[in-house]
Amino acid sequence: MRDAQFGELPFLKYDNAVETCVYSPDGTSFAVLSDNTINVYSTSNWEKTWTWSEQSSVAYSPNGDRIVSGSEDSTVRIWDVATGECRCIFIGHTSAVYEVAYSPQGTVVASRSGNGIVRLWDLESGECRSNISGRGYIYAMAFSPKGDVIALGSDDCRVRLWDVASGEWQCRQTMLGHTGSVNKVLFSPKGDYIASASDDSTVRLWNVGLRSSRKISNHHSVAVTNLKYSPKRNQVASCSKDSTIQLWDALTGAHNRALTGHSEHVYQISYSPQEDRLVSGGFDRTVRLWDVESGTCLRILTGHTSCVNDVEFSTQGDQIASSSDDHTVRLWNVNTGKCQHVLSGHTASVWVVTYSPQGDQVASADRHETLMLWDVKTGERQHSLIGHSKGIYSIAYSPSGNQIASASEDMTVRLWDVKIGICTHIFIGHQQGVTRVVYPPQGHQVASTSRNEKTVRLWDIKSGECRHTLVGHEKEIDTIAYSPRGKVIASWSDYGEARLWDVATGECLWSLNHDGSTPSTNNYLSHPFQWMSLDDDSFITGDGGGSVKRWDVLSERGQYRVHMRWRSTNGQLTVEDACVQDVQGLNELNRRLLKQRGATGEPSVPLREASKKVMDMASVVSKLKSSSNAEALNPPSTSLEISFMRHSEQQIQQATDAETTSEN
């Protein structure tokens, strides 16, 4: 072919349709698949070198010395291009293999069979490392350029990314948006974007913005019941039905120590405001106070006669509240270990207890329908809030402390005025019992979830309307949590599926899976979720199998462009027009500042706060006006564009100075 002239290119004639044709990476040969037969040809003379029958798919290895084929007999075969010999046969599929692919490094082969199952084969050991099935019929697959991820498209309208490099072979991200089967997926050359083609007549481009998770814990033997994060210590605490509490380094995942002493399930833990103490409670009816630094149990608080369901430190950290199946709430002095007050009045198990933000009030709710407010100093009951017709699963104070929300099995969410003890709002819309209610940091709305209904609802407090109903989870929802900045809400479901939602639009931003997650067993606390970073970019999850993982949302480098038109007259620079465009990766405050200065365009997903405040455009203009070379600007009226990437205020300053100097 190298000697062929224009208009004289030869062609191959087949009796039946040619299904595919692939070149070797070095261009010395090519393979043609037709009528379930692979023919390999030399590109120098078009002579046929090898023929392999009963094949249904074909792909070259990265270096071109091997060919992988999928067969009608359900096998995957590796062929030597030089000798034509079959070097290896992979057995495991139960139907014809219609697609095969090498990883870019040539260490893994992926194969997709007619029943929609994808298998990943380790070429060194010859073993099947992963069998991906049960999440829709898989139509498409593609390795990332680095070979660390494989993308799969399926008939459930989703694109999923699976981690290949770590050896954990887990689903790390799910892209939602297509309304038809996904037939083709393709990575960009750098691997930062994925294109997908669908039966819904659309092609979508996805930003690969979520790292694979890092496993923190494998020390728990059974379900993780709760997680807490200590920002000051960069530490994660987890408790489990295995009766232990484990402490971990949140950055490295290193195991610090195990806190042992409870004889049965540990249900709840809580850090003190100073983060030097940890309190725990569980099925053994005790409340235990721990020194985080040494791991020593400082006190064992006894008095409850049944399981301890909830524990929490007061705002000042000098008191602990605990609730129990014995129908009581106890307030404990941290310094002395003595029980200061026994709060009696509930007629059923008290499931939850929480302090007001000011710390002067405690709220408790039981499995019947009663919510009670108590004075912390005197232990006296201030209000019994009656209105729910069934048990109360969850309560939460508003950030101001003037209001408390309650979620009930009666399918409603109620808002109460804590000063006068009356119900001010009733939110109706859930079709099943409401199991969680939370406020965002701004306090302008509440979010609620119904475990069995598999939905999350966002309610506007002023209007009482349901702004968004978040639908998409396939399994029961265990937990919801607003991010520290309140722009994202996370929902965490059975079998370890987490979704991150945009609070403003109700759109699902990310979907990920806690690989190997074990479902909860009638306990909606068995899949805990905890945000870690004030930048809304990392969180930790736990599952029913005893695993704890940290997830990190990649930070896109914030950037924007300043477009200005100016003119120069006798050395005097005058800016006629200016606007900011292509805003990416900035927080809400900085986006607002830029919009006030004429910004156009919004980031699709706000991910990380700017390191420091964005430079005022006026300072850029000022630098241009004060430039010593301003009089040399020519022609009199032209366009100037200044662009820089945000890293820090110092780097922005340097970049702007450099841009201004170079343009002038």
Side-chain angles (χ1 to χ4, degrees), residues 484-497:
R485 301 196 179 279
K487 295 185 293 183
V488 177
I489 188 168
S491 54
W492 185 230
S493 80
D494 239 345
Y495 290 92
E497 181 194 16

Side-chain angles (χ1 to χ4, degrees), residues 527-580:
H527 284 113
F529 181 104
Q530 179 79 39
W531 286 95
M532 292 176 58
S533 169
L534 294 178
D535 294 326
D536 297 0
D537 63 357
S538 60
F539 48 88
I540 49 177
T541 59
D543 77 349
S547 177
V548 177
K549 292 186 179 181
R550 170 177 172 163
W551 302 84
D552 295 301
V553 178
L554 287 178
S555 172
E556 294 182 347
R557 293 179 296 171
Q559 67 178 25
Y560 57 90
R561 293 182 182 273
V562 181
H563 295 264
M564 290 184 282
R565 288 191 63 83
W566 48 266
R567 59 185 174 83
S568 174
T569 305
N570 298 325
Q572 180 65 38
L573 179 68
T574 302
V575 177
E576 296 180 330
D577 183 39
C579 67
V580 182

Side-chain angles (χ1 to χ4, degrees), residues 19-202:
E19 298 176 31
T20 187
C21 178
V22 291
Y23 265 102
S24 64
D26 60 4
T28 60
S29 67
F30 64 97
V32 177
L33 174 62
S34 175
D35 198 21
N36 295 333
T37 300
I38 297 174
N39 291 313
V40 181
Y41 298 86
S42 170
T43 56
S44 62
N45 54 22
W46 281 55
E47 289 185 0
K48 185 188 302 183
T49 55
W50 311 113
T51 298
W52 304 310
S53 59
E54 297 184 8
Q55 306 302 310
S56 50
S57 53
V58 61
Y60 274 93
S61 64
N63 61 10
D65 64 344
R66 297 284 190 272
I67 284 179
V68 59
S69 67
S71 174
E72 290 288 329
D73 64 5
S74 307
T75 64
V76 177
R77 297 170 183 260
I78 307 295
W79 306 87
D80 189 307
V81 175
T83 66
E85 296 179 356
C86 181
R87 294 293 187 182
C88 186
I89 301 176
F90 298 138
I91 300 174
H93 284 292
T94 57
S95 64
V97 179
Y98 290 133
E99 187 175 7
V100 288
Y102 268 95
S103 66
Q105 292 73 25
T107 58
V108 175
V109 163
S111 57
R112 178 180 63 85
S113 65
N115 54 5
I117 294 176
V118 169
R119 290 178 178 264
L120 301 179
W121 307 89
D122 188 305
L123 293 181
E124 183 176 351
S125 65
E127 297 179 355
C128 179
R129 293 299 190 184
S130 182
N131 182 20
I132 304 171
S133 61
R135 301 190 179 189
Y137 186 98
I138 299 172
Y139 283 119
M141 64 184 190
F143 279 102
S144 65
K146 294 181 179 179
D148 57 340
V149 173
I150 187 170
L152 304 176
S154 59
D155 67 352
D156 63 358
C157 313
R158 290 166 168 79
V159 177
R160 291 183 173 88
L161 303 187
W162 288 78
D163 189 351
V164 177
S166 67
E168 296 183 8
W169 310 89
Q170 64 180 2
C171 180
R172 63 183 251 185
Q173 188 175 339
T174 303
M175 282 86 163
L176 307 173
H178 281 299
T179 58
S181 297
V182 180
N183 302 318
K184 185 67 175 179
V185 290
L186 181 67
F187 277 93
S188 64
K190 293 183 179 180
D192 51 350
Y193 289 93
I194 293 175
S196 59
S198 169
D199 279 350
D200 63 9
S201 305
T202 67

Side-chain angles (χ1 to χ4, degrees), residues 1-20:
M1 290 182 66
R2 286 191 290 268
D3 298 326
Q5 300 298 317
F6 179 77
E8 297 178 353
L9 293 178
F11 61 90
L12 297 173
K13 176 63 176 177
Y14 277 84
D15 294 332
N16 295 303
V18 177
E19 298 176 31
T20 187

Side-chain angles (χ1 to χ4, degrees), residues 262 268-274 276-282 285-292 296-302 304 308-324 328-343 352-356 359 361-364 374-377 379:
H262 282 285
Q268 289 289 346
I269 50 176
S270 180
Y271 277 102
S272 64
Q274 298 77 22
D276 59 342
R277 299 286 187 270
L278 191 75
V279 63
S280 60
R285 300 176 293 180
T286 67
V287 176
R288 294 175 184 255
L289 182 65
W290 308 85
D291 180 86
V292 175
T296 304
C297 181
L298 302 175
R299 301 187 185 280
I300 302 176
L301 312 180
T302 59
H304 283 297
V308 177
N309 296 317
D310 202 4
V311 290
E312 186 173 318
F313 274 98
S314 64
T315 308
Q316 294 75 26
D318 58 349
Q319 191 180 73
I320 293 170
S322 60
S323 64
S324 170
T328 69
V329 173
R330 289 178 177 258
L331 304 183
W332 310 85
N333 186 292
V334 170
N335 296 322
T336 65
K338 293 183 179 179
C339 180
Q340 295 176 305
H341 301 291
V342 179
L343 311 182
V352 288
V353 63
T354 186
Y355 281 92
S356 65
Q361 189 180 73
V362 162
S364 58
W374 311 84
D375 185 282
V376 168
K377 291 184 178 180

Side-chain angles (χ1 to χ4, degrees), residues 408 411 430-436 448-457 475-478 480:
S408 171
M411 301 185 290
H430 284 291
Q431 304 301 311
Q432 300 283 341
V434 187
T435 49
R436 281 287 187 276
S448 60
T449 183
S450 172
R451 170 177 165 78
N452 295 326
E453 188 181 271
K454 308 170 189 175
T455 64
V456 178
R457 294 175 184 262
K475 300 295 181 181
E476 291 80 0
I477 298 175
D478 293 333
I480 54 174

